[in-house]
Amino acid sequence: MLITTRLGRKVEVNEDYTVDQNWAHYTADEHARWDRLYDRQREILKGRACQEFLDGLEALKLSDGGIPNFEELSERLMARTGWKVVAVPDLVPDEVFFDHLANRRFPAGNFIRREDQFNYIQEPDVFHDVFGHVPMLSHPVFADYMEAYGKGGLAAAGKGVLQNLARLYWYTVEFGLINTPDGMRLYGAGIVSSPAESVFALEDPSPNRIHFDLERVMCTNYRIDDFQQSYFVIDSFDELLDATYQPFGPIYDRVRGRADYAVDTVLTSDLLHHRGSQAYAHEKTKAS
């Protein structure tokens, strides 16, 4: 058992980096902050988030008021797709993260951002992890994709390709877009939990919107400090699952040591949904 400190509180950490959520320790202000974050983001996502995400919000009752109790949330999620939510104090090591996903456990931060971080926090808190990620885990196909990703991560250990796997997660689970009969929509947690990027990813002319290709994504760098300069678009969650339900050994052989693509690269082989102007990124570069 390890002891760590989070927001001035001592927390006992298990060997698998999980902790007791200790739902009773949240203050009234913290519960109210969740509600305000939820209400703002739910309004922004109307007509922008995919229906599967919105259905998950309702099915899992994330609007019931206050920070969700992980035990109750896990019961609802388990009944739908066999997943559960486990609390962690912060980011966990790769191998631990992969093991949780491979066993249908989603590790979620058990702290909520401070008031002065209301509009942006760099590390994933309970709002990003639960509001952003968990609704999609109620969708059977996406839930299978996440399990397959975790198993792929465990199999990749020691092969020198974890960076490539991280890019796959980034451009799908965190920042993925999907085509629907009603138009392009959001499903990535990093977008749906961000008020500014929810608008930027879909509506701004700056970023590229490129159709998803597994190896292309695995070789593409990404931004961790600002909006993405390229987003990858799927036509269905079945397309995403099919891409990961295959032997990755030959893919790892092809991408290992291959030159990386810059964040704004457009290849002649890309299926482009939109060629971005990159105006936003250029302006930020000038300003700095």
Side-chain angles (χ1 to χ4, degrees):
M1 184 77 70
L2 303 173
I3 304 292
T4 188
T5 302
R6 160 60 67 182
L7 300 179
R9 302 173 179 136
K10 288 187 177 180
V11 180
E12 294 185 347
V13 183
N14 300 313
E15 290 184 4
D16 62 358
Y17 283 80
T18 60
V19 297
D20 182 357
Q21 185 194 14
N22 191 12
W23 189 82
H25 85 265
Y26 296 118
T27 67
D29 283 346
E30 288 174 325
H31 283 301
R33 194 172 305 134
W34 167 280
D35 291 340
R36 289 161 50 218
L37 286 163
Y38 182 99
D39 290 344
R40 179 181 67 172
Q41 199 59 21
R42 182 63 179 82
E43 190 65 28
I44 290 171
L45 292 179
K46 290 179 180 177
R48 294 190 175 100
C50 68
Q51 193 58 48
E52 292 87 347
F53 176 85
L54 299 176
D55 289 345
L57 283 181
E58 299 305 317
L60 299 177
K61 301 181 180 180
L62 296 186
S63 61
D64 274 6
I67 298 168
N69 182 304
F70 286 5
E71 289 186 8
E72 297 173 0
L73 176 59
S74 291
E75 288 180 6
R76 293 191 284 269
L77 188 57
M78 182 72 71
R80 296 179 70 85
T81 59
W83 276 76
K84 65 185 295 186
V85 180
V86 294
V88 294
D90 44 38
L91 294 172
V92 301
D94 288 336
E95 64 274 13
V96 175
F97 181 67
F98 291 138
D99 184 68
H100 280 306
L101 297 188
N103 290 282
R104 293 198 172 224
R105 300 185 299 262
F106 186 79
N110 72 333
F111 70 98
I112 191 164
R113 66 195 66 186
R114 303 187 308 265
E115 187 64 31
D116 63 330
Q117 299 169 319
F118 190 84
N119 291 319
Y120 176 76
I121 182 172
Q122 185 170 354
E123 57 185 328
D125 70 338
V126 67
F127 184 76
H128 167 84
D129 281 343
V130 173
F131 180 94
H133 283 282
V134 175
M136 287 305 307
L137 292 174
S138 70
H139 185 266
V141 178
F142 192 83
D144 287 348
Y145 168 66
M146 288 287 278
E147 178 187 358
Y149 181 86
K151 289 178 177 177
L154 291 175
K159 292 183 168 61
V161 292
L162 288 185
Q163 183 182 48
N164 303 98
L165 270 180
R167 292 165 179 167
L168 175 60
Y169 191 89
W170 188 268
Y171 278 121
T172 60
V173 178
E174 291 289 358
F175 291 94
L177 304 179
I178 184 170
N179 278 323
T180 78
D182 298 318
M184 197 173 288
R185 295 290 185 266
L186 317 169
Y187 74 89
I191 312 177
V192 298
S193 61
S194 165
E197 195 148 8
S198 293
V199 178
F200 179 86
L202 279 185
E203 299 165 30
D204 200 284
S206 296
N208 300 315
R209 298 176 183 91
I210 304 168
H211 200 78
F212 174 82
D213 176 270
L214 179 61
E215 292 185 34
R216 165 73 156 100
V217 166
M218 282 186 166
C219 293
T220 305
N221 288 321
Y222 55 79
R223 299 291 303 264
I224 62 171
D225 59 343
D226 211 328
F227 298 148
Q228 300 307 299
Q229 290 179 243
S230 294
Y231 296 92
F232 289 88
V233 185
I234 58 174
D235 282 334
S236 70
F237 294 113
D238 288 297
E239 176 186 8
L240 196 56
L241 180 60
D242 289 346
T244 53
Y245 263 18
Q246 60 175 303
F248 269 26
I251 297 172
Y252 292 152
D253 290 340
R254 290 194 293 271
V255 302
R256 188 185 297 109
R258 187 165 149 184
D260 295 335
Y261 301 125
V263 292
D264 60 348
T265 296
V266 174
L267 304 175
T268 56
S269 56
D270 286 337
L271 173 57
L272 272 176
H273 296 275
H274 170 79
R275 182 185 288 270
S277 66
Q278 300 300 326
Y280 173 84
H282 293 159
E283 286 300 316
K284 291 296 288 284
T285 301
K286 288 179 184 178
S288 61

